[in-house]
Amino acid sequence: MRLFNRKTETASEPGTGPRVVLLVEGMHCSSCGLLIDDELEDLPGVRSSTTDVKAGRTTVRLEEGAAVNTAELIAAVEQAGDYTARPAD
């Protein structure tokens, strides 16, 4: 896990890949969000992750054609700490 070494999207690489939104419970501060983002971004096929702690949501941007399923994303969130996640409707 690379702590606080954030992936960023550039103008030459816009966030046009598929997007998955997860609802996350158990976050208390911005560090929680960063830990979750770092864990998600370590997964192959994940371009970026952005967590809004106040809203309790994580938005994951995938690479085009990535074979990442929602269960893998949820497992990564739960591995980051004492968090629970589920897909947003």
Side-chain angles (χ1 to χ4, degrees):
M1 174 171 70
R2 46 180 185 14
L3 187 59
F4 310 122
N5 184 13
R6 310 282 304 133
K7 287 184 183 177
T8 56
E9 296 179 13
T10 63
S12 63
E13 230 178 75
T16 59
R19 186 174 59 123
V20 178
V21 178
L22 301 174
L23 300 178
V24 181
E25 294 180 8
M27 297 184 291
H28 305 290
C29 62
S30 60
S31 293
C32 293
L34 291 171
L35 289 170
I36 290 169
D37 290 339
D38 283 345
E39 197 68 40
L40 286 165
E41 290 176 354
D42 282 343
L43 292 175
V46 172
R47 175 176 284 172
S48 66
S49 174
T50 305
T51 299
D52 183 337
V53 175
K54 288 183 181 181
R57 298 170 65 92
T58 296
T59 303
V60 182
R61 181 71 68 180
L62 303 174
E63 299 286 343
E64 285 292 332
V68 179
N69 63 44
T70 305
E72 291 174 293
L73 298 174
I74 290 171
V77 169
E78 293 174 352
Q79 185 174 332
D82 192 21
Y83 313 112
T84 57
R86 63 183 170 85
D89 294 330

